[in-house]
Amino acid sequence: MAPVLLSLSLSRLGLWAFGLILVLGFLKLLRVLLRRQKLARAMDSFPGPPTHWLFGHALEIQQTGSLDKVVSWAHQFPYAHPLWLGQFLGFLNIYEPDYAKAVYSRGGKGLLVLEGPKWFQHRKLLTPGFHYDVLKPYVAVFADSTCAMLDKWEEKAREDKSFDIFCDVGHMALDTLMKCTFGKADGGLSHRDSSYYRAVGELTLLMQQRMESFQYHNDFIYWLTPHGRRFLRACQVAHDHTDQVIRERKAALQDEKEREKIRNRRHLDFLDILLGARDEDGIKLSDADLRAEVDTFMFEGHDTTTSGISWFLYCMALYPEHQQRCREEVREILEGRDSFQWDDLGKMTYLTMCIKESFRLYPPVPQVFRQLSKPVSFVDGRSLPAGSLISLHIYALHRNSAVWPDPEVFDPLRFSPENAARRHPYAFIPFSAGPRNCIGQQFAMNEMKVVTGLCLLHFEFALDPSRPPIAMPQLVLRSRNGIHLHLKPLGSGSGK
């Protein structure tokens, strides 16, 4: 009798468990449907392209290339339009300066960064780390890493064939950041550092794939997939590397000789600055906060710089007259010297205008996201409630013909002081905008000037007509088939 009763109890328990799972599943579905209805209602006043009943705009974007598609939609729908990735993830996609100002001139929740008070506290602690006195010695670090890349290019150029510059620029940018963040020596990347480099690259790719695949938006489903498991493994590699470096540096700081050595170094690295940062109450960053800031600096710093430098050199190859003018400016500034000093950077007026124009056409971060913490009203009277998702499409904003006449034309004089002064402050935002703009933008611009100046001094860049790059967004702007250029060494004429 007892086994029968036990069997009945177990089957009843199973039915209860099944019923509970059904109820919880139903409640979850109801919540998702209500959220979708609220999103759809909020965006009703914004006309946009028709959506697929299941995929939203995702299929159309994948088939035609998201960048060109969104630029064509921007011509069709001024200011903004709804953008649906699947049926449950909807953004208002904006690409107009006044719309950008309405959202980005105030706080809000970034989808990949810290929220309000904690973000503000970290920002205050980090700001001294980007003071120009700290940035000055980095010029030599930028030059060292660039020269190693140029030596590699000397060998490749001898083969008289075009090659993809993106990967080499990526290694150089990571090498630079390893030195500026962790104080790595000049001996190249160790095995552990190379694993970290691969992990950062893999995480960038996986994050983009996740955003484009609406079935991966649910955390529970994503962690069960091979992609999700790869993401967790790569996260672990990146976190282990940062944790170990932080532990080693903290241990070294216990030793008086090591402390003296760090004080006498030619530059402080980012980790030193973070370890010394304290708020007004004397409170330091926790180990978890240290790791988060280091990882953010590494992620946002190396891929964006790689993209910016690679697309700039492509623009120089595409427009040889501007390439030559930049090279002449660099030679005049150097006056026979073979590398730059801090004071040289402010003299690079034409090179800077060309860098900014390449940022306009090929922004390193083509799209950023925000969740509204408060309702927002736009200049045309339309509005969105708190909780709405915004996609600021920087690529489309920079090609908005209402703001930029002949947007596809490469014209550095758009960034002459008089032209820049007349333009809307939110018309050109390669480093995002408002209170949450990129804290490292001065660091990035200095690196861009040193690296591109040295590249133009040593090589002439020309296109490979058989392999034009195909721009594609992957958190940063990359090329689907790489950026293949012909490089011609300039030898003694370079001013070496």
Side-chain angles (χ1 to χ4, degrees), residues 88-119:
F88 299 104
L89 188 63
F91 298 88
L92 183 68
N93 197 37
I94 64 176
Y95 33 74
E96 194 276 336
D98 281 315
Y99 263 56
K101 184 181 178 184
V103 175
Y104 283 80
S105 62
R106 56 194 194 151
K109 182 183 170 191
L111 296 191
L112 297 173
V113 291
L114 293 171
E115 293 190 51
K118 191 158 193 176
W119 172 85

Side-chain angles (χ1 to χ4, degrees), residues 258-317:
E258 280 298 319
R259 279 206 301 275
E260 191 59 33
K261 209 187 287 179
I262 286 168
R263 275 198 294 271
N264 292 332
R265 272 211 312 255
R266 62 182 176 166
H267 70 274
L268 280 178
D269 58 50
F270 187 59
L271 188 53
D272 294 329
I273 292 158
L274 288 175
L275 286 166
R278 285 174 174 78
D279 66 14
E280 46 270 34
D281 301 320
I283 295 168
K284 301 166 81 169
L285 291 170
S286 69
D287 281 4
D289 287 342
L290 278 170
R291 183 175 78 181
E293 292 301 339
V294 166
D295 285 346
T296 299
F297 190 59
M298 291 299 294
F299 272 83
E300 294 187 0
H302 104 272
D303 245 10
T304 50
T305 309
T306 303
S307 174
I309 292 166
S310 301
W311 286 107
F312 170 83
L313 293 175
Y314 166 71
C315 287
M316 292 293 94

Side-chain angles (χ1 to χ4, degrees), residues 13-80:
L13 194 63
L15 282 169
W16 271 104
F18 181 66
L20 185 62
I21 289 167
L22 275 180
V23 169
L24 289 174
F26 175 74
L27 288 173
K28 175 80 174 168
L29 180 63
L30 190 63
R31 195 169 146 225
V32 166
L33 289 170
L34 287 170
R35 187 178 166 278
R36 197 252 181 245
Q37 193 180 11
K38 187 183 167 193
L39 260 174
R41 220 176 16 246
M43 292 198 284
D44 264 353
S45 57
F46 299 91
T51 60
H52 184 275
W53 68 271
L54 178 61
F55 299 111
H57 299 113
L59 277 184
E60 198 169 358
I61 279 172
Q62 283 169 6
Q63 285 163 2
T64 56
S66 65
L67 296 170
D68 292 338
K69 193 74 227 174
V70 173
V71 170
S72 75
W73 283 337
H75 290 312
Q76 208 177 336
F77 307 103
Y79 300 108

Side-chain angles (χ1 to χ4, degrees), residues 220-289:
F220 179 73
I221 294 171
Y222 186 62
W223 303 134
L224 293 175
T225 66
H227 277 93
R229 289 195 293 277
R230 267 174 63 200
F231 186 91
L232 290 173
R233 279 197 301 273
C235 266
Q236 197 59 52
V237 170
H239 288 165
D240 287 350
H241 176 276
T242 307
D243 287 343
Q244 191 167 345
V245 174
I246 290 169
R247 274 197 306 275
E248 287 168 3
R249 183 65 54 84
K250 278 188 159 180
L253 288 170
Q254 302 301 312
D255 183 87
E256 183 56 43
K257 280 184 189 168
E258 280 298 319
R259 279 206 301 275
E260 191 59 33
K261 209 187 287 179
I262 286 168
R263 275 198 294 271
N264 292 332
R265 272 211 312 255
R266 62 182 176 166
H267 70 274
L268 280 178
D269 58 50
F270 187 59
L271 188 53
D272 294 329
I273 292 158
L274 288 175
L275 286 166
R278 285 174 174 78
D279 66 14
E280 46 270 34
D281 301 320
I283 295 168
K284 301 166 81 169
L285 291 170
S286 69
D287 281 4
D289 287 342

Side-chain angles (χ1 to χ4, degrees), residues 423-493:
R423 201 160 37 241
H424 194 296
Y426 284 76
F428 175 68
I429 47 175
F431 297 104
S432 190
R436 280 184 180 264
N437 67 353
C438 171
I439 193 174
Q441 59 185 284
Q442 196 56 52
F443 177 96
M445 277 303 289
N446 292 347
E447 184 177 0
M448 284 284 297
K449 289 177 187 181
V450 172
V451 176
T452 58
L454 287 172
C455 286
L456 293 175
L457 189 68
H458 290 85
F459 292 99
E460 190 178 287
F461 294 84
L463 297 176
D464 180 346
S466 69
R467 287 170 154 178
I470 302 161
M472 60 180 282
Q474 261 187 12
L475 294 185
V476 302
L477 191 68
R478 304 175 74 93
S479 167
R480 194 184 304 280
N481 56 337
I483 296 180
H484 289 80
L485 299 177
H486 287 281
L487 272 65
K488 179 184 166 192
L490 293 172
S492 56

Side-chain angles (χ1 to χ4, degrees), residues 45-248:
S45 57
F46 299 91
T51 60
H52 184 275
W53 68 271
L54 178 61
F55 299 111
H57 299 113
L59 277 184
E60 198 169 358
I61 279 172
Q62 283 169 6
Q63 285 163 2
T64 56
S66 65
L67 296 170
D68 292 338
K69 193 74 227 174
V70 173
V71 170
S72 75
W73 283 337
H75 290 312
Q76 208 177 336
F77 307 103
Y79 300 108
H81 67 77
L83 182 65
W84 288 93
L85 300 174
Q87 279 302 306
F88 299 104
L89 188 63
F91 298 88
L92 183 68
N93 197 37
I94 64 176
Y95 33 74
E96 194 276 336
D98 281 315
Y99 263 56
K101 184 181 178 184
V103 175
Y104 283 80
S105 62
R106 56 194 194 151
K109 182 183 170 191
L111 296 191
L112 297 173
V113 291
L114 293 171
E115 293 190 51
K118 191 158 193 176
W119 172 85
F120 185 71
Q121 179 215 10
H122 283 209
R123 180 79 171 211
K124 277 178 74 178
L125 287 173
L126 298 183
T127 298
F130 294 95
H131 188 270
Y132 76 91
D133 282 337
V134 175
L135 296 178
K136 269 184 185 181
Y138 288 155
V139 171
V141 181
F142 300 152
D144 287 346
S145 296
T146 307
C147 287
M149 178 180 76
L150 296 177
D151 288 344
K152 208 187 290 180
W153 283 0
E154 285 275 358
E155 286 182 36
K156 288 187 178 182
R158 285 195 200 113
E159 294 176 26
D160 205 23
K161 288 190 295 200
S162 74
F163 60 89
D164 179 12
I165 63 165
F166 204 94
C167 191
D168 291 336
V169 173
H171 273 93
M172 180 276 302
L174 183 69
D175 185 54
T176 299
L177 269 189
M178 292 296 243
K179 289 170 185 168
C180 295
T181 306
F182 301 124
K184 290 287 174 188
D186 291 335
L189 300 180
S190 69
H191 173 70
R192 197 177 80 195
D193 298 336
S194 298
S195 301
Y196 181 78
Y197 176 76
R198 285 193 299 274
V200 170
E202 185 156 30
L203 286 169
T204 305
L205 182 64
L206 289 167
M207 281 161 75
Q208 183 64 31
Q209 285 174 343
R210 186 179 184 186
M211 286 178 68
E212 288 175 353
S213 309
F214 71 93
Q215 70 272 24
Y216 288 165
H217 294 163
N218 178 279
D219 283 348
F220 179 73
I221 294 171
Y222 186 62
W223 303 134
L224 293 175
T225 66
H227 277 93
R229 289 195 293 277
R230 267 174 63 200
F231 186 91
L232 290 173
R233 279 197 301 273
C235 266
Q236 197 59 52
V237 170
H239 288 165
D240 287 350
H241 176 276
T242 307
D243 287 343
Q244 191 167 345
V245 174
I246 290 169
R247 274 197 306 275
E248 287 168 3

